[in-house]
Amino acid sequence: MLMISPKMASGAQEKQFTQSLLSFFIYNPTLGPREGEEEKKILFYHPSEVEKNEKIRNVGLCEAIVQFTRTFCPTKPAKSLHTQKNRQFFFEPEEHFWIVMVVRNPMIEKPNKDGKPPTIEYQEEEILDTVYGAVVRQCYSMYKLFNGTFGRAMEAGGVELLIQKLEKFFYRYLQTLHLQSCDLLDVFGGISFFPLDKMTYLKIQSFVNRVEESLSLIKYTSFLYNDQLIWSGLEQDDMRILYKYLTTSLFPRHSEPELAGRDSPLRPEVTGNLLHYGRFLTGPTNLKDPEAKFRFPKIFVSAEDGYEELHLIVYKAMSAAACFMISASVELTRDFCEQLDSLVGPQLTLLASDICEQFTINRRISGPEKEPQFKFIYFNHMNLAEKSTIHMRKTASVCLTSVHPDLMKILGDINCDFARVDEDEEIIVKAMTDYWVVGKKSDQRELYVILNQKNANLIEVNEEVKRLCATQFNNIFFLD
Amino acid sequence: MAEEHYLELSENPVQFEHASSVNNVFFDEANKQVFAVRSGGATGVVVKGPDDKSSVAFRMDDRGEVKCIKFSIGNKILAVQRTLKSVDFINFIPDYPHTEFSQECKTKNASVLGFCWTSWNEVVFVTDQGIEFYQVFPDKRSLKLLKSQNINVNWYQYCPETAVILLSTTVQGNVLQPFAFRNGAMTKMSKFEIELPVVPKPAKLSLSERDIAMATIYGQLYVMYLKHHSRTVNSPGAEVVLYHLPREGICKKSHVLKLNTTGKFALNIVDNLVVVHHQSSQTSLIFDIKLKEPECAVNTHQPVLPARSIHPYRIPLSGPAAVPTQPPVPCQLYSSSWSVFQPDIIISASEGYLWYLQVRLPPAVRLLQDKGKLMDFLLRRRDCKMVILSVCSQILEAQENGSLPVVATVFDKLNQVYKEYLEAEQSYTAAVESGPTRGAAAQKRPVRTQAVIDQSDMYTHVLSAFTERKDVSHKFIIAVLMEYIRSLNQNQITVQHYLYELVIKTLVQNSLFYMLHQFLQYHVLSDSKPLACLLLSLESTYPPAHQLSLDMLKRLSTANDEIVEVLLSKQQVLGALRFIRSVGAHDNVSARKFLDAARQTGDQMLFYTVFRSFQQRNQRLRGNPSFNPGEHCEEHVAYFKQLFGEQALMKPSTV
């Protein structure tokens, strides 16, 4: 599981290891309160091959730390534990249920002469609590999206069912965690919105309303283009995690065959006399297949009275994707899917080309000079809007950034500073590598800019950031 | 059964003495006057017009049987035809000699078929050998021939609205020659031939006067030909063929109206609709030549609505002779004694009534299921506004599944007309502003017809009541409002603030704040100060509204004062100060306002900072850090001294 970075340190034969997942476990102390029954507390443990007693020991240790720190602040027990070799994160998403993630610190292995074993240097300060704390919370949210709360599984089928569900979900999910590429964006957990003119936006509204009217089973609809959100019928928090799932898991999985071109399933469908490119990303891959199954993933979203369970239908035509959510109590049939396909397919295809056209027009109008030459990350806590010119396209496997991890860490540090106070702030840092890093916080918005101007002074950097705000963020209220 | 009679006779008909052996009745289409001539005029001529002003009664000498009698325009001169050779004239202008004078037709051996007035003093004689155009001099009691044309005439028709005379020529009578008259000039228009269903052999007069009518429809002159069903040609029924007769250019066959039946017909034009009465079935059909028929070949039209009879009519027994208890007598519709005149007149000479035919729109709403077609139809009618608005309400109330596309179509049609009017109004205003230099004077102010349904009509009569309904899902209400806003935007019409308010109100009532947030994020609800203030008021229930509001004020760029107020009210004194500096308005703001706010926070350091900042400003502006008496900051100066001591005050810099 160790990832070896291609980057070699200056010294001869040094090996650098990035942070990695050591273990991940979930327990509930109330399930095995008596001595000798400790194993019952453990609901999930990764890696599973760890010896039972060690599992019990590790869980016990976490329990003790949490218990101990509680004496100092009963409402806020410890969130993380720093040690030389690793760092542990504690999270109690539901009462008595604890999720613990242990991350091994990045390290450098320096070979020693004379055949002595190599010296290992742990980089204890490289890991940010906020980033990995957010990763743990995200793990839980993702579980909850597809399974509901832990409590729900307990009610439905006791500990056995919960253990089963956790096993099933986390076994796969943990493989997709790429701890070395987690950064500030994981802290934000934001949503990237697709920039769109009013008229096209209204057309999408009209489309959504019409589909919901004619297929009245549909309870909520969300609309995305180019992996960016345009419309969410779900509440913000549910959309946030669904967006995460769509953009980091579902879409990348389906984009590969598209990119491959040949042998892709992207052949236009003909419904009536209309050509369309619509297809289901969840559920049946081919409607015409007589064996096709009409089963869709189920998700849990917040409702007035707790949670509601929904079928998640993701339907895509070219770059436009619509998510239709239907109460899970309804059984979805071939009929319904065919109806949806013939109604949505042509309209969505048309909309997708409309949006694409508008987007190109807007791009042409704004011109290349408006293209950001700056590297920045923007986040608005109010609508979760995030924008980054630092991150490349996210794929299922990696999230590429175009800046050095050290700079990303500085951004994370500034973010921690901002989190500590309520007031608006501005922090300017000169990094070791001659980069300037600027963090600005205004009301609920945060902006981080990385400038590569070696000889610039503080005033010039400040001016530069002002200029950026004036061009990129001129339509929002941003205090200078 | 619901009311389905979409045609009716006017409630107040023109009443006249019915035709009898002693009373001859004439109708003049130009002035729309009915002449009741008793005993050749000796015992009186009673003229009834559409209003009291045009009604006259007089006597004239009985000089033989009257063939035709008409006033010139404005009742100035009366013309009476009694023989085949001449027409007699009587002045009705006060102070002019009253004695009759006469004019014989110039062409030898010709008989006068009739005459038409084209102005108050210009008259055209139509003879069997041509036409003669005269100017009348009432003072000299004589006429002057302006122009004449020799041509064999079978019969003629006159359209007073356009002053066009149509002559039937050739043996079969199917070559029609129109002449136009204007300001003493006579223009020969291009002749055209009516296609006859069967060509008779030997040739004989085959086109009857009864089967031809002229009328203006949508501002264009048409010749309507009632083409009867012929047994030899395999056609399902009679047709009305419309020939478009432009002022200049060639007359072309332009529309075919399918009657799908045979028999005796009569034509009227009401509100630009062609009405075809069918006597044997006692029903009428209406056609709208602007209504496109997708399933028909170009310019072939089917009736807009199924055939229905004119609304039953009862003759009111009014006047002193009427006995109140006596019920009104039902009037026999489609009677053989009816005469039909263009455009919309029906006369029963035997009963002494003249009616105007009218279209009733509400029954059309029930009979026309296709709402898009219905809107197209209604938008071209004169008194359509309230009917259209009620149709909109109906569609929204019915809330059938799949009605959203219908709603969208209807909105698009309404807004198309609305937009055309706004554009016309705009270009008119622009033309007026640019001055009369470039022929702007010629441009007329666009007329606002009833079909222009603006946002306030829609709001008042449809949307505001609709959003109040409790039995409609909020999803549908919002969908409808968004559809209306989309349609307005699509037509580049600026959306009025009250519509946004309606959207916001509906969203807030249903706690759909995230939806509202997204709408604002994509600027679906356009920026304005009132909207920003509305958002501010939502802050307590939805905190992000604060940010949305500030962003909006910022974009407006004319709301800096409001931004300062908002920030100060949030005790963000430094933020407000930084903002006001960034927009360069620091020099003009009231120091007191900021000091008040700073003091209210209870933060002494903040107060110190703000105080010093204004002292520096004073120093820069006036060379002295102290406040002017007009700024009313004494209280704050004292407070500052009390907190930080006299020596902390900035001293005036010595020169």
Side-chain angles (χ1 to χ4, degrees):
Chain A
M1 285 291 279
L2 294 187
M3 293 279 292
I4 297 171
S5 159
K7 184 174 56 115
M8 291 291 170
S10 50
Q13 300 301 308
E14 274 188 14
K15 270 189 193 162
Q16 195 163 5
F17 297 89
T18 60
Q19 56 269 55
S20 60
L21 183 67
L22 265 188
S23 56
F24 184 98
F25 46 92
I26 300 167
Y27 67 91
N28 182 336
T30 60
L31 294 174
R34 274 186 291 275
E35 253 189 67
E37 290 181 343
E38 285 90 349
E39 200 190 352
K40 288 186 180 168
K41 296 177 190 172
I42 307 172
L43 298 165
F44 175 78
Y45 201 103
H46 165 90
S48 55
E49 57 274 13
V50 171
E51 198 261 325
K52 183 179 116 184
N53 283 323
E54 197 191 330
K55 287 182 185 170
I56 293 173
R57 253 199 330 274
N58 286 337
V59 167
L61 180 64
C62 293
E63 227 184 301
I65 291 164
V66 169
Q67 215 49 3
F68 172 67
T69 53
R70 239 193 247 279
T71 53
F72 299 102
C73 178
T75 50
K76 282 191 207 159
K79 283 183 179 149
S80 68
L81 175 69
H82 299 204
T83 67
Q84 187 200 16
K85 292 185 181 172
N86 57 43
R87 200 173 283 195
Q88 308 193 14
F89 298 91
F90 314 112
F91 177 48
E92 186 185 21
E94 296 171 40
E95 202 185 2
H96 302 309
F97 286 98
W98 287 88
I99 301 178
V100 178
M101 180 169 81
V102 185
V103 180
R104 202 209 48 208
N105 287 333
M107 56 187 185
I108 296 170
E109 202 183 75
K110 290 183 176 164
N112 277 328
K113 287 167 201 157
D114 316 328
K116 274 194 235 165
T119 338
I120 292 176
E121 244 176 58
Y122 289 96
Q123 297 172 298
E124 294 156 52
E125 297 310 313
E126 287 306 299
I127 290 181
L128 283 170
D129 279 352
T130 47
V131 171
Y132 294 96
V135 170
V136 178
R137 284 195 300 279
Q138 220 169 62
C139 289
Y140 172 71
S141 300
M142 201 60 90
Y143 169 86
K144 199 176 68 170
L145 178 69
F146 290 104
N147 298 281
T149 57
F150 295 157
R152 184 185 166 273
M154 290 283 278
E155 271 171 39
V159 187
E160 291 75 27
L161 182 68
L162 178 60
I163 290 176
Q164 213 182 329
K165 278 180 174 284
L166 289 173
E167 197 66 46
K168 195 174 157 210
F169 178 81
F170 282 107
Y171 174 73
R172 272 184 55 189
Y173 185 75
L174 290 180
Q175 292 177 17
T176 65
L177 275 186
H178 298 281
L179 294 185
Q180 73 282 2
S181 56
C182 292
D183 59 30
L184 188 57
L185 286 193
D186 293 279
V187 178
F188 293 146
I191 294 171
S192 177
F193 286 92
F194 187 78
L196 201 61
D197 66 294
K198 180 167 37 171
M199 198 52 234
T200 318
Y201 184 78
L202 283 166
K203 276 191 202 162
I204 293 170
Q205 275 297 316
S206 185
F207 160 79
V208 169
N209 288 335
R210 283 176 196 207
V211 172
E212 286 189 5
E213 198 203 24
S214 41
L215 300 171
S216 53
L217 281 180
I218 296 171
K219 217 163 168 188
Y220 310 103
T221 308
S222 295
F223 194 102
L224 296 96
Y225 187 87
N226 257 355
D227 295 4
Q228 289 175 298
L229 187 66
I230 294 179
W231 167 251
S232 164
L234 286 181
E235 283 305 311
Q236 186 169 275
D237 281 336
D238 293 320
M239 193 61 231
R240 178 188 225 167
I241 193 70
L242 178 62
Y243 178 78
K244 176 88 187 165
Y245 164 69
L246 294 173
T247 53
T248 59
S249 176
L250 186 70
F251 292 159
R253 252 190 284 145
H254 285 84
S255 71
E256 264 110 59
E258 277 172 41
L259 294 173
R262 212 153 37 88
D263 300 329
S264 77
L266 256 192
R267 252 169 271 114
E269 282 293 319
V270 181
T271 306
N273 50 358
L274 288 161
L275 205 69
H276 75 81
Y277 290 91
R279 66 202 172 100
F280 288 92
L281 292 197
T282 59
T285 39
N286 182 4
L287 275 182
K288 293 192 180 72
D289 179 3
E291 303 284 293
K293 291 272 193 305
F294 297 93
R295 274 211 302 269
F296 293 89
K298 288 191 184 121
I299 58 167
F300 291 79
V301 301
S302 53
E304 278 160 32
D305 45 352
Y307 280 88
E308 63 180 323
E309 196 177 351
L310 303 163
H311 292 289
L312 173 66
I313 301 176
V314 183
Y315 190 91
K316 199 171 179 190
M318 306 201 275
S319 294
C323 306
F324 301 110
M325 284 150 274
I326 294 170
S327 172
S329 57
V330 181
E331 198 175 329
L332 296 178
T333 60
R334 174 185 290 272
D335 244 22
F336 177 82
C337 292
E338 282 173 350
Q339 208 185 338
L340 187 139
D341 185 59
S342 62
L343 178 80
V344 174
Q347 288 192 54
L348 194 61
T349 306
L350 203 67
L351 260 184
S353 62
D354 263 16
I355 298 170
C356 179
E357 194 181 325
Q358 271 306 318
F359 184 60
T360 350
I361 291 171
N362 290 347
R363 265 259 278 273
R364 213 168 36 236
I365 293 167
S366 62
E369 69 273 12
K370 257 196 122 180
E371 288 292 293
Q373 299 135 354
F374 298 93
K375 293 193 183 303
F376 69 84
I377 295 177
Y378 162 84
F379 181 70
N380 182 355
H381 288 273
M382 282 287 145
N383 60 358
L384 306 180
E386 79 178 17
K387 194 172 176 184
S388 168
T389 57
I390 290 172
H391 294 79
M392 316 289 196
R393 187 190 152 84
K394 271 194 178 175
T395 64
S397 45
V398 270
C399 170
L400 295 165
T401 58
S402 57
V403 301
H404 193 270
D406 291 347
L407 290 172
M408 288 309 292
K409 177 154 183 298
I410 295 177
L411 297 188
D413 285 333
I414 297 177
N415 168 258
C416 292
D417 284 339
F418 285 163
R420 244 171 277 171
V421 278
D422 269 343
E423 261 138 63
D424 294 357
E425 274 187 26
E426 186 164 325
I427 297 175
I428 302 180
V429 178
K430 180 145 193 201
M432 299 288 278
T433 45
D434 286 332
Y435 281 94
W436 285 89
V437 180
V438 183
K440 263 168 84 82
K441 182 186 171 206
S442 170
D443 194 19
Q444 298 291 319
R445 296 183 163 108
E446 290 175 31
L447 174 68
Y448 302 86
V449 187
I450 297 172
L451 295 165
N452 181 16
Q453 282 165 324
K454 211 187 260 188
N455 302 317
N457 61 30
L458 199 58
I459 293 167
E460 285 163 344
V461 168
N462 196 32
E463 286 302 311
E464 198 65 24
V465 173
K466 268 190 185 172
R467 202 156 39 239
L468 168 74
C469 290
T471 53
Q472 294 280 317
F473 303 102
N474 56 342
N475 59 350
I476 58 171
F477 185 79
F478 223 152
L479 271 179
D480 282 325
Chain B
M1 197 181 87
E3 183 61 74
E4 289 193 345
H5 305 283
Y6 49 79
L7 288 167
E8 67 180 359
L9 301 174
S10 55
E11 213 167 303
N12 300 309
V14 176
Q15 261 178 290
F16 54 89
E17 191 182 343
H18 63 83
S20 65
S21 53
V22 289
N23 185 41
N24 287 331
V25 176
F26 300 90
F27 179 65
D28 170 20
E29 287 177 81
N31 291 323
K32 303 199 182 345
Q33 287 168 323
V34 184
F35 289 75
V37 183
R38 289 184 68 92
S39 326
T43 47
V45 178
V46 179
V47 185
K48 288 275 181 90
D51 49 63
D52 290 339
K53 253 205 291 191
S54 50
S55 301
V56 205
F58 57 89
R59 274 172 211 282
M60 58 182 192
D61 297 337
D62 183 0
R63 296 193 185 167
E65 194 198 344
V66 173
K67 289 183 180 303
C68 186
I69 180 166
K70 284 172 189 174
F71 269 119
S72 76
I73 290 155
N75 291 2
K76 299 279 194 273
I77 305 162
L78 179 73
V80 187
Q81 188 196 348
R82 294 178 174 114
T83 69
L84 283 173
K85 292 281 164 211
S86 65
V87 178
D88 307 326
F89 296 88
I90 306 166
N91 283 335
F92 269 70
I93 306 164
D95 307 334
Y96 276 47
H98 256 60
T99 33
E100 279 189 23
F101 53 102
S102 184
Q103 176 69 47
E104 258 188 46
C105 69
K106 296 271 193 222
T107 323
K108 295 250 163 61
N109 304 322
S111 336
V112 177
L113 299 174
F115 64 90
C116 324
W117 286 101
T118 59
S119 79
W120 77 272
N121 66 343
E122 283 164 1
V123 70
V124 184
F125 289 5
V126 184
T127 71
D128 53 358
Q129 289 174 38
I131 52 175
E132 297 167 9
F133 184 31
Y134 293 98
Q135 187 174 2
V136 186
F137 297 96
D139 46 343
K140 294 180 198 149
R141 301 175 58 239
S142 67
L143 280 80
K144 184 181 132 195
L145 181 69
L146 295 175
K147 238 176 164 173
S148 68
Q149 174 93 35
N150 287 332
I151 184 167
N152 282 324
V153 179
N154 303 309
W155 46 262
Y156 77 98
Q157 292 224 338
Y158 179 53
C159 173
E161 259 180 292
T162 49
V164 170
I165 289 177
L166 192 65
L167 306 177
S168 157
T169 67
T170 71
V171 179
Q172 291 172 29
N174 66 331
V175 174
L176 300 181
Q177 173 63 63
F179 286 91
F181 300 86
R182 191 190 278 168
N183 302 330
M186 178 175 97
T187 327
K188 187 175 182 181
M189 296 161 76
S190 58
K191 65 179 175 190
F192 60 99
E193 192 178 328
I194 299 272
E195 291 167 37
L196 294 171
V198 255
V199 182
K201 275 180 191 162
K204 57 167 187 184
L205 185 61
S206 310
L207 184 64
S208 155
E209 183 181 356
R210 280 201 315 266
D211 294 336
I212 292 291
M214 274 198 291
T216 351
I217 308 171
Y218 294 118
Q220 296 294 315
L221 181 62
Y222 288 91
V223 172
M224 300 186 284
Y225 164 48
L226 196 57
K227 186 176 180 182
H228 290 284
H229 166 70
S230 80
R231 272 176 218 125
T232 50
V233 184
N234 188 21
S235 74
E239 298 172 342
V240 175
V241 184
L242 263 58
Y243 292 81
H244 179 218
L245 197 54
R247 276 259 150 209
E248 278 153 30
I250 316 151
C251 176
K252 267 196 277 202
K253 177 172 162 178
S254 62
H255 300 273
V256 176
L257 316 181
K258 293 279 184 193
L259 303 183
N260 305 321
T261 179
T262 56
K264 217 174 143 192
F265 299 98
L267 299 173
N268 269 138
I269 302 295
V270 182
D271 204 1
N272 292 314
L273 293 169
V274 181
V275 181
V276 183
H277 304 290
H278 185 228
Q279 207 190 3
S280 57
S281 68
Q282 304 224 338
T283 57
S284 305
L285 290 169
I286 54 173
F287 293 87
D288 184 348
I289 58 167
K290 279 205 181 171
L291 213 56
K292 301 265 185 307
E293 304 266 347
E295 66 273 21
C296 287
V298 197
N299 294 334
T300 302
H301 299 265
Q302 292 293 334
V304 180
L305 302 172
R308 289 288 184 274
S309 85
I310 296 172
H311 192 270
Y313 186 84
R314 288 168 183 280
I315 293 171
L317 293 164
S318 58
V323 182
T325 51
Q326 201 172 343
V329 185
C331 169
Q332 199 207 331
L333 301 174
Y334 300 92
S335 143
S336 54
S337 72
W338 275 15
S339 311
V340 171
F341 294 93
Q342 297 317 316
D344 55 352
I345 288 160
I346 294 175
I347 292 176
S348 172
S350 61
E351 286 166 308
Y353 283 103
L354 179 153
W355 293 282
Y356 292 98
L357 189 64
Q358 294 168 342
V359 173
R360 308 169 73 226
L361 296 177
V365 173
R366 277 184 289 273
L367 290 169
L368 199 52
Q369 288 308 310
D370 180 341
K371 295 286 186 270
K373 200 171 159 192
L374 175 66
M375 274 300 149
D376 286 337
F377 174 75
L378 291 177
L379 281 168
R380 291 193 203 99
R381 307 286 75 84
R382 204 172 37 229
D383 299 319
C384 60
K385 177 174 271 177
M386 292 323 287
V387 179
I388 288 175
L389 289 169
S390 82
V391 170
C392 290
S393 292
Q394 270 175 36
I395 296 172
L396 296 185
E397 274 161 32
Q399 223 205 130
E400 288 151 11
N401 196 18
S403 61
L404 217 43
V406 177
V407 171
T409 315
V410 168
F411 286 162
D412 284 346
K413 287 184 189 295
L414 297 184
N415 288 329
Q416 175 68 31
V417 176
Y418 178 25
K419 172 206 175 180
E420 278 161 17
Y421 168 73
L422 288 178
E423 276 177 353
E425 180 74 34
Q426 217 166 39
S427 73
Y428 170 76
T429 317
V432 168
E433 274 167 10
S434 73
T437 41
R438 267 182 283 162
Q443 197 172 0
K444 270 199 282 181
R445 192 186 182 91
V447 184
R448 186 182 169 140
T449 64
Q450 284 212 8
V452 177
I453 307 238
D454 64 17
Q455 296 171 62
S456 107
D457 294 327
M458 213 51 199
Y459 177 86
T460 317
H461 298 282
V462 182
L463 296 175
S464 75
F466 170 64
T467 54
E468 293 293 321
R469 289 177 64 109
K470 293 280 170 286
D471 54 332
V472 181
S473 75
H474 60 76
K475 216 171 176 174
F476 186 67
I477 293 179
I478 292 159
V480 166
L481 291 175
M482 291 318 283
E483 209 54 68
Y484 189 56
I485 291 175
R486 178 204 53 77
S487 180
L488 289 170
N489 270 294
Q490 199 154 303
N491 286 295
Q492 281 126 36
I493 300 167
T494 315
V495 181
Q496 294 296 319
H497 174 249
Y498 45 75
L499 287 176
Y500 293 143
E501 238 171 61
L502 211 53
V503 173
I504 295 175
K505 200 183 83 189
T506 313
L507 291 169
V508 169
Q509 271 172 1
N510 294 287
S511 307
L512 299 167
F513 292 107
Y514 190 43
M515 218 181 244
L516 172 63
H517 201 133
Q518 295 185 64
F519 289 158
L520 288 160
Q521 202 173 315
Y522 281 96
H523 306 297
V524 167
L525 312 175
S526 306
D527 299 342
S528 71
K529 266 190 209 178
L531 193 56
C533 293
L534 184 61
L535 286 172
L536 269 184
S537 71
L538 292 177
E539 195 194 339
S540 55
T541 36
Y542 185 62
H546 174 73
Q547 193 191 61
L548 291 167
S549 169
L550 269 185
D551 290 350
M552 194 176 280
L553 290 170
K554 160 91 189 301
R555 284 191 297 267
L556 287 169
S557 79
T558 54
N560 292 339
D561 292 346
E562 283 84 352
I563 291 177
V564 168
E565 291 298 334
V566 171
L567 291 174
L568 289 182
S569 72
K570 293 247 121 191
Q571 302 205 326
Q572 295 180 351
V573 187
L574 277 186
L577 209 52
R578 277 160 68 195
F579 169 74
I580 208 72
R581 268 193 203 170
S582 72
V583 298
H586 187 227
D587 294 353
N588 314 320
V589 293
S590 146
R592 189 193 158 93
K593 195 155 67 179
F594 283 80
L595 291 168
D596 280 346
R599 198 168 153 184
Q600 258 178 25
T601 62
D603 181 345
Q604 297 187 354
M605 271 330 287
L606 179 68
F607 182 76
Y608 182 87
T609 315
V610 174
F611 191 89
R612 288 297 295 242
S613 144
F614 278 101
Q615 280 202 318
Q616 280 165 13
R617 179 193 76 166
N618 296 343
Q619 174 75 40
R620 185 165 43 79
L621 288 178
R622 300 191 287 265
N624 191 326
S626 59
F627 292 94
N628 275 348
E631 293 182 272
H632 302 293
C633 290
E634 297 78 11
E635 180 198 344
H636 293 300
V637 174
Y639 181 67
F640 185 86
K641 282 187 202 160
Q642 182 204 323
L643 283 179
F644 308 107
E646 184 90 44
Q647 68 285 354
L649 279 175
M650 205 172 146
K651 297 285 178 304
S653 52
T654 42
V655 183

